[in-house]
Amino acid sequence: MTAPSSNAIVDPTLDVVAIGNAIVDVLAHADDDFIAAEGMTKGSMQLMFSPAEADALYAKMGPGTEASGGSAANTVAGIAALGGRTGFIGQVAKDQLGEVFAHDIRATGVVFDTAPRDGEPSTARCLILVTPDGQRTMNTFLGASQFLPASALDRSLIESGAILYLEGYLWDPEEPRAAMRAAIDFARAAGRKVAFTVSDVFCISRHGDDFRQLLADGLIDILFANENELLALANEEDFQQALHRIAAQVPLLVVTRSEKGALAIRTGETATVAAEPIERVVDTTGAGDLFAAGFLHGQAQGRTLVDSLRIGAICAAEIISHVGARPMVDLKALVAEKLGAPVA
C-alpha cells in the first residue's frame, strides 16, 4: 500500500532506494554446444513467457545453485555490503521462492517491505548458464515481478533515499513501467536524484525510444550503460560519437567497458579507470550490478569520480571471480585495502 507523504523535503535517511525485478537466480555451468543447441545468444538475456518453458529448460540444466538475485536488488545488496543504507521495492509471489528472495535481501541489511502477491504467476526466476569463459547467458521468467503496481510503491521509502535507482529490465511489462514513472515523479518532487541502468541491448531494442525520451525530458540524473548498450542507445557505431551524444543529455554518464575499464562524464569532467586485475574470470553474472553498487556508494560518500569508478571496478572484479551475483568476501574490507582508505 502506498504510504502517505508529508510533501516536506527532509534529509534522506537512505543512500539508495532501488526498484527492480525480484528474482531468484539458478546458476549452472554449461558448454557452448548446449547454448547453441538451445538456440540462445551467448552472453545475452532472453525472456521465457511461461512456467512450463522455464521448467523445461531447468530440467535440461546441470546441478544448479539458487540465490536471491535481480539486477537492481544485487546493486542495493552490494551497497549494503559496503556499509551503505539501502531499500528495495520489487514484487514476489506468496510462495517458497518469494520467501527465499525476501529472506536473502533482508539478511543483507536492505529494507524490503513490498507485500507478496497472491496467486499465479510464481516468483520470478532467472536460469543462468555459465560457460567456461565466464560468460553468462540468462533465461528469465519474470513471473510475479512483472505485476508490480504503482499502488505497491512506498512513497515515503522512495523519498527517504538520496538516489532512486531504476532497472531497465523492469521497463518491459506495462504495470511496473507505470509504477517506475510514478516513482520518478515521487523522487523528483522530493528533490532526489534518479539513476537508471539500461540493463541490456535487448531492453533498448524494445524500449529505446522510451529511454531516450526520459533523457530528453531531463528525468535521469545518472545513467549506467556498458559499451554495447551505449552504442545501441545512441544509434551510433562509433564509441566516441555515442559517448558525446549521450553525455550531452544526462548530468552524469557512467560507462563500463569490460577489460577496457570504465569511465564517467559529469558536466564536461571525464574520469577513467582501468579494469581491476583478476586471475581468472569465472562468472560475469552481476558484474555491472556490483560496479553500479561501488560507484553509487562512492558518490554517496562524496568521493571523486575516479574513486567511485575504482570502487565499482573492485566490486565488479570480486563478483566475476566466483559463481553468483552476490559478494563472497567482506567487500568493505576489500575496497578499503585496495583503495588505501576506509569506505564507510
Side-chain angles (χ1 to χ4, degrees):
M1 185 172 66
T2 303
S5 169
S6 66
N7 292 321
I9 297 179
V10 297
D11 290 338
T13 55
L14 299 177
D15 299 317
V16 178
V17 173
I19 301 178
N21 283 308
I23 298 177
V24 175
D25 290 340
V26 181
L27 299 103
H29 291 285
D31 57 26
D32 289 349
D33 290 341
F34 182 85
I35 301 294
E38 293 299 316
M40 302 171 190
T41 301
K42 181 178 171 180
S44 68
M45 190 279 287
Q46 66 180 13
L47 292 176
M48 297 181 292
F49 296 98
S50 72
E53 189 179 357
D55 290 343
L57 177 58
Y58 180 72
K60 297 176 185 177
M61 292 169 61
T65 302
E66 287 186 0
S68 176
S71 176
N74 291 336
T75 296
V76 289
I79 295 171
L82 289 164
R85 307 159 299 166
T86 60
F88 180 74
I89 297 170
Q91 189 67 65
V92 298
K94 197 175 287 185
D95 57 18
Q96 185 176 0
L97 285 182
E99 291 174 4
V100 167
F101 179 89
H103 173 271
D104 281 2
I105 197 165
R106 288 170 183 153
T108 67
V110 176
V111 177
F112 174 65
D113 294 320
T114 310
R117 186 176 184 272
D118 286 317
E120 295 294 331
S122 59
T123 295
R125 72 194 91 157
C126 184
L127 307 182
I128 303 174
L129 299 163
V130 183
T131 43
D133 59 358
Q135 285 294 311
R136 86 285 185 268
T137 303
M138 300 183 294
N139 302 271
T140 305
F141 171 61
L142 290 171
S145 69
Q146 63 187 319
F147 294 100
L148 175 72
S151 60
L153 297 178
D154 183 339
R155 181 168 184 170
S156 62
L157 179 64
I158 293 169
E159 292 174 338
S160 73
I163 298 172
L164 173 68
Y165 181 72
L166 303 175
E167 173 188 326
Y169 283 130
L170 193 59
W171 201 263
D172 204 57
E174 183 178 348
E175 197 165 18
R177 191 187 319 143
M180 292 168 87
R181 287 189 181 278
I184 290 172
D185 291 342
F186 295 159
R188 298 198 74 82
R192 308 312 187 205
K193 290 183 178 178
V194 177
F196 190 85
T197 172
V198 295
S199 295
D200 197 284
V201 172
F202 163 86
C203 299
I204 299 169
S205 68
R206 293 173 65 88
H207 300 290
D209 288 344
D210 273 1
F211 297 170
R212 295 178 194 104
Q213 193 61 52
L214 290 173
L215 295 175
D217 291 342
L219 298 178
I220 306 302
D221 300 291
I222 307 170
L223 181 70
F224 289 89
N226 65 28
E227 186 169 352
N228 289 333
E229 292 159 0
L230 183 76
L231 293 171
L233 188 63
N235 284 319
E236 294 281 0
E237 294 183 0
D238 179 80
F239 177 71
Q240 291 300 326
Q241 289 182 358
L243 199 60
H244 177 76
R245 181 185 293 271
I246 300 301
Q249 299 179 63
V250 64
L252 176 52
L253 173 65
V254 184
V255 183
T256 56
R257 307 186 71 190
S258 300
E259 71 280 358
K260 291 179 282 189
L263 60 89
I265 300 177
R266 178 170 56 199
T267 56
E269 174 193 2
T270 300
T272 61
V273 297
E276 281 293 305
I278 181 173
E279 227 174 83
R280 184 168 74 94
V281 175
V282 176
D283 173 18
T284 56
T285 306
D289 305 335
L290 268 292
F291 185 94
F295 183 88
L296 289 171
H297 187 62
Q299 289 293 285
Q301 290 191 302
R303 289 183 178 268
T304 64
L305 289 183
V306 170
D307 276 357
S308 298
L309 288 170
R310 276 219 65 204
I311 297 171
I314 292 165
C315 292
E318 192 283 329
I319 286 300
I320 65 177
S321 69
H322 58 77
V323 173
R326 298 286 169 90
M328 289 189 174
V329 302
D330 184 338
L331 267 191
K332 193 173 175 182
L334 177 67
V335 171
E337 175 191 344
K338 288 184 174 289
L339 209 62
V343 293

